[in-house]
Amino acid sequence: SIPNEYDAAVVAAVKKFQGRHGLPPTGVIDNRVTVEALNVPAAVRLSQLKANLARLQALAPSAAPTSVAANTPSAQVEAVSGGQVVSRHAAVVGKPERPTPELSSKVQEVNFNPYWYVPRSIIYKDLVPKGQEFARKGQNMMAAYHMEAFDPAGNPIPSNAINWSDPAVYNYNFRQLPWAENSLGFIKINFPNKDAVYMHDTPLKSLFGRNVRFESSGCVRVHNVEGLAAWILAGTGWDLQRMAAVKQSGEQIDVKVPKPLPVYFTYISAWATPDGTVNFRPDIYGHDAGSETASVN
């Protein structure tokens, strides 16, 4: 390597660095994210590794060899069979103000063309403000987003009878019908947990191509969710061809998983692979003690 020259060896080293940090391996230091990752001090990285070692040591003894694992800092979902990753899926996870929780559960059901039952937090933060915005323009948000409303007793409320300025609206229950732009997309993967989160498809496919994938309200959106669902339902007759037919028909079908499959939502922002490569991801929620600089993304 020649001093002061950005030669092939430097390009290769930059590409390797970018790959280890979950960045597009362009070999060019042309963006803020690569520069900031390069500027994280070694002491901070050591602190990050120590914090994550403790998490891995706590998780590893109880982790099932066959499972679905979603890791928030890497915005990635893995299907694991016999301790080996059989498929990897880009994901969109919770934004810092609405974080994806850490949890351990079992996948019990896969819903095709699901209804979306709007969480209370989203009713407050997003749905009612959007309804008020539409109402000011004389438009019907419920019709535009294919939604239904119910009072606390479960009685349906006609969309034109909703007064978006009345505080009572916050006590209504809302659901979105199955359709092409349903917020859950075509598939929802269900497992019991206190945070009422799940994995699902999304009509917003463009999000998956982005480098920063911390955009959701806590649930995990999965790229190529059909492939993951087919793996979860292996042996049940639910292959990609059958799924494609149901997607086309729009039929709402709930399929029980014959043997509930362990699922883990983890927070691992630093780890090593068997070949000795050390990987880092942004500490998006600031969980890594002493690694403040590593939280930049």
Side-chain angles (χ1 to χ4, degrees):
S1 184
I2 304 166
N4 302 319
E5 187 167 316
Y6 205 84
D7 59 13
V10 176
V11 170
V14 171
K15 283 183 178 179
K16 185 176 181 182
F17 176 89
Q18 289 169 324
R20 291 195 304 109
H21 291 76
L23 304 170
T26 61
V28 181
I29 306 174
D30 62 350
N31 61 57
R32 178 180 65 87
V33 184
T34 296
V35 172
E36 287 174 348
L38 282 164
N39 286 337
V40 175
V44 171
R45 290 303 190 198
L46 178 60
S47 169
Q48 195 176 358
L49 283 166
K50 286 178 178 177
N52 283 275
L53 177 60
R55 288 185 201 124
L56 286 165
Q57 287 172 331
L59 177 68
S62 59
T66 298
S67 64
V68 177
N71 186 35
T72 300
S74 60
Q76 192 166 264
V77 173
E78 295 175 336
V80 182
S81 179
Q84 299 295 313
V85 176
V86 293
S87 70
R88 232 176 229 116
H89 306 258
V92 177
V93 297
K95 57 186 78 171
E97 61 271 26
R98 302 190 198 178
T100 294
E102 294 175 70
L103 62 84
S104 171
S105 185
K106 289 191 176 182
V107 177
Q108 296 186 342
E109 193 177 63
V110 176
N111 311 121
F112 296 103
N113 296 307
Y115 286 100
W116 179 43
Y117 293 89
V118 185
R120 193 61 49 193
S121 61
I122 292 180
I123 290 173
Y124 272 84
K125 296 174 183 175
D126 303 304
L127 189 145
V128 171
K130 179 71 75 175
Q132 292 169 343
E133 179 189 325
F134 269 69
R136 282 194 294 271
K137 299 175 184 174
Q139 298 171 348
N140 188 330
M141 185 209 67
M142 301 291 285
Y145 287 95
H146 295 231
M147 303 197 77
E148 296 176 331
F150 303 86
D151 68 18
N155 302 306
I157 302 169
S159 61
N160 58 5
I162 297 173
N163 178 357
W164 292 101
S165 301
D166 186 344
V169 76
Y170 292 103
N171 296 318
Y172 294 168
N173 294 309
F174 297 87
R175 74 176 184 180
Q176 189 175 40
L177 299 165
W179 70 301
E181 296 299 315
N182 179 291
S183 293
L184 301 186
F186 167 52
I187 290 176
K188 175 184 177 187
I189 297 172
N190 253 330
F191 40 91
N193 64 90
K194 67 178 177 60
D195 297 289
V197 295
Y198 38 81
M199 291 182 285
H200 65 96
D201 184 19
T202 172
L204 302 171
K205 306 295 186 211
S206 60
L207 282 172
F208 293 115
R210 298 176 56 173
N211 179 42
V212 178
R213 299 198 303 272
F214 308 106
E215 298 282 347
S216 88
S217 294
C219 290
V220 175
R221 306 174 192 157
V222 184
H223 185 44
N224 183 24
V225 72
E226 288 95 337
L228 180 61
W231 180 78
I232 290 170
L233 295 173
T236 65
W238 280 95
D239 56 14
L240 292 172
Q241 191 173 353
R242 186 174 177 187
M243 288 182 195
V246 171
K247 187 174 187 177
Q248 191 71 29
S249 74
E251 186 181 0
Q252 209 275 313
I253 299 177
D254 301 327
V255 181
K256 296 286 185 191
V257 178
K259 186 181 178 186
L261 182 71
V263 58
Y264 306 102
F265 279 18
T266 62
Y267 193 92
I268 307 297
S269 67
W271 69 92
T273 50
D275 64 1
T277 302
V278 180
N279 294 267
F280 295 100
R281 294 296 183 271
D283 177 21
I284 186 67
Y285 302 154
H287 290 348
D288 298 336
S291 59
E292 192 176 318
T293 316
S295 66
V296 175
N297 71 82

